Amino acid sequence: MLCLGIETSCDETAVALCDDGRPILEKLASQVRLHALFGGVVPELASREHLRRMGPLLETLFAETGLALAEVDAIAVARGPGLLGSLLIGLAVAKGLALAAGKPLIGVDHLHAHLLAATLGRDVAYPALGLLVSGGHTQIVLLRSALELEVLGRTLDDAAGEAFDKAAKSLNLPYPGGIYVDVLGRDVEPDRTLFTRPNLDNANLDFSFSGLKTAVAGHVAAHPGLRVAVMPTGTGPIDPGAWPMDLRRVCASVNFTVADTLRVKMERALDRQSGSVATILAAGGVAANSRIRDMLAALARRRGLACHLPEPALCADNATMIAAAGCLLGRAGLTHDLALDAVPRGRKVPWDYRIGPPLGRASVDRRPDPQ
Ligand code: KG4
Ligand code: ZN
């Protein structure tokens, strides 16, 4: 089944084609440089950029694959949670294409798609425990199958990505700063008591990262020499060796504090499933963090579980995960009509699919033109 995926929930405009869950090609325009000027995503600008970039990206996707809209079996679109104005652009495009070409429409929960990204090309043993960590969300999710999800824990305030970005901001590092904190903290021994691991003194599976943001800001205010004098441009590779060791140790300590907080709640979630979980999945932009990846791999090893960590490009927002989710939902006969609505941040995405016959034809070899 050939599915077109459209992603516009935040600051990445992306379109991709998947054939029975196998990625064919993705075209993505990142707005990161634009929003970096403001130190965070400006919703109005994001919507306008989605509108401006979407048409050319679609044209290039079809031109480079040699495929046509008429060959697509379904159109999948991220319907939320996300920035409302941004989601509406993706939904309007998806509905227009579905209506014009007479194709089924499939609204995809952006968070479900993030988790499925970790299963791409893999034979996953369920139940799986997913850790979804991004700029907007931090959740522990039990997947009984690829289509049956239960959120076991979530953040009560900031997401893990916000903690990284705000820590970076305190240190005068560019937005989004997670990658800086990760790379600068690599191969440096953290101070494990510098920041308190937040929200562990309870029995639940929820997170709270807003205190960590304040703790890092307070530490930097007390040690102003830690602040980078001139903010780097944010382009090009980061060379950790060129940075002061006291700054790198703070970064290593932030990485440790977030990763170890996530570990404690993941261990607790595994214990509560009484040994039934077979696999650990990681998802979301923060799942690119090397300390968090090492932590999850070690946890899986200790417990004898499989562990699937998507490559960094599939951790961040992308349309391949939306197209892949579309293949799965379409094969199960789950679609939407043209009244499909967007779901803003903070609201639960409803499971409101229409159930019909499975979509699609048998997969055929569809590869992009080699040049
Ligand atoms: O999933 P994503 O691309 O967008 C959202 O849906 O939010 O996640 C973006 C977040 C940002 O907060 C960014 O700083 C963080 O992921 N991030 C990282 C790393 N790479 C991206 N955080 C820590 N370590 C990284 N290597
Ligand atoms: Zn995301």
Side-chain angles (χ1 to χ4, degrees):
M1 171 186 162
L2 183 64
C3 185
L4 170 67
I6 298 178
E7 161 63 44
T8 62
S9 57
C10 190
D11 58 349
E12 317 280 1
T13 318
V15 295
L17 286 164
C18 278
D19 189 19
D20 272 345
R22 191 168 54 88
I24 298 179
L25 187 67
E26 162 135 12
K27 289 284 144 187
L28 182 146
S30 174
Q31 306 175 11
V32 157
R33 303 267 306 271
L34 170 72
H35 298 292
L37 295 171
F38 302 92
V41 178
V42 183
E44 281 290 313
L45 292 180
S47 312
R48 174 178 276 197
E49 278 298 287
H50 288 310
L51 185 62
R52 206 169 67 78
R53 306 304 288 268
M54 180 57 74
L57 286 178
L58 279 168
E59 271 178 344
T60 314
L61 180 73
F62 284 117
E64 288 188 13
T65 53
L67 294 166
L69 181 59
E71 294 175 80
V72 165
D73 297 303
I75 294 163
V77 58
R79 67 173 302 195
L83 298 173
L84 194 57
S86 290
L87 291 166
L88 292 177
I89 304 290
L91 277 170
V93 170
K95 287 182 184 187
L97 295 176
L99 188 60
K103 304 292 180 182
L105 177 71
I106 303 174
V108 175
D109 179 340
H110 177 85
L111 303 181
H112 186 190
H114 263 306
L115 288 160
L116 291 179
T119 70
L120 274 181
R122 288 172 166 134
D123 209 1
V124 177
Y126 290 98
L129 193 67
L131 177 65
L132 172 57
V133 272
S134 73
H137 296 90
T138 305
Q139 293 186 347
I140 294 181
V141 184
L142 180 67
L143 292 93
R144 292 195 175 81
S145 73
L147 292 177
E148 290 167 287
L149 277 66
E150 184 187 346
V151 178
L152 302 180
R154 57 172 63 77
T155 182
L156 304 173
D157 42 51
D158 289 0
E162 276 176 275
F164 279 111
D165 294 342
K166 299 282 168 52
K169 193 173 179 182
S170 296
L171 293 163
N172 201 29
L173 293 167
Y175 173 87
I179 180 74
Y180 273 85
V181 178
D182 178 6
V183 175
L184 297 184
R186 268 182 213 160
D187 305 321
V188 177
E189 193 50 34
D191 178 344
R192 289 161 201 258
T193 56
L194 184 58
F195 305 117
T196 309
R197 294 170 305 164
N199 204 37
L200 296 187
D201 195 14
N202 55 52
N204 63 42
L205 299 176
D206 294 329
F207 302 97
S208 165
F209 285 109
S210 64
L212 178 58
K213 159 181 84 184
T214 313
V216 176
H219 182 73
V220 178
H223 303 85
L226 284 169
R227 264 178 78 82
V228 176
V230 180
M231 186 188 282
T233 57
T235 54
I238 308 164
D239 172 15
W243 295 74
M245 191 45 89
D246 55 351
L247 169 67
R248 295 185 61 194
R249 194 170 310 284
V250 171
C251 292
S253 307
V254 172
N255 288 324
F256 164 78
T257 307
V258 176
D260 211 53
T261 304
L262 298 171
R263 176 192 62 77
V264 170
K265 299 275 169 148
M266 284 293 282
E267 300 243 29
R268 197 176 284 172
L270 288 170
D271 291 341
R272 290 192 187 170
Q273 296 307 314
S274 322
S276 65
V277 169
T279 305
I280 288 177
L281 303 174
V286 180
N289 182 276
S290 37
R291 184 137 203 146
I292 294 173
R293 294 172 85 84
D294 290 350
M295 176 279 287
L296 289 174
L299 172 60
R301 257 195 319 275
R302 274 200 311 281
R303 302 252 181 171
L305 309 175
C307 181
H308 301 316
L309 307 170
E311 60 179 90
L314 275 178
C315 289
D317 287 351
N318 67 86
T320 296
M321 68 183 191
I322 305 297
C327 290
L328 192 79
L329 292 158
R331 278 283 186 222
L334 303 173
T335 60
H336 285 106
D337 61 27
L338 291 175
L340 174 67
D341 204 359
V343 179
R345 268 194 184 164
R347 288 241 312 272
K348 191 175 168 356
V349 176
W351 191 267
D352 54 2
Y353 293 101
R354 295 186 313 191
I355 303 175
L359 297 182
R361 305 156 280 175
S363 84
V364 291
D365 195 22
R366 297 182 174 103
R367 289 202 193 106
D369 225 317
Q371 40 78 29

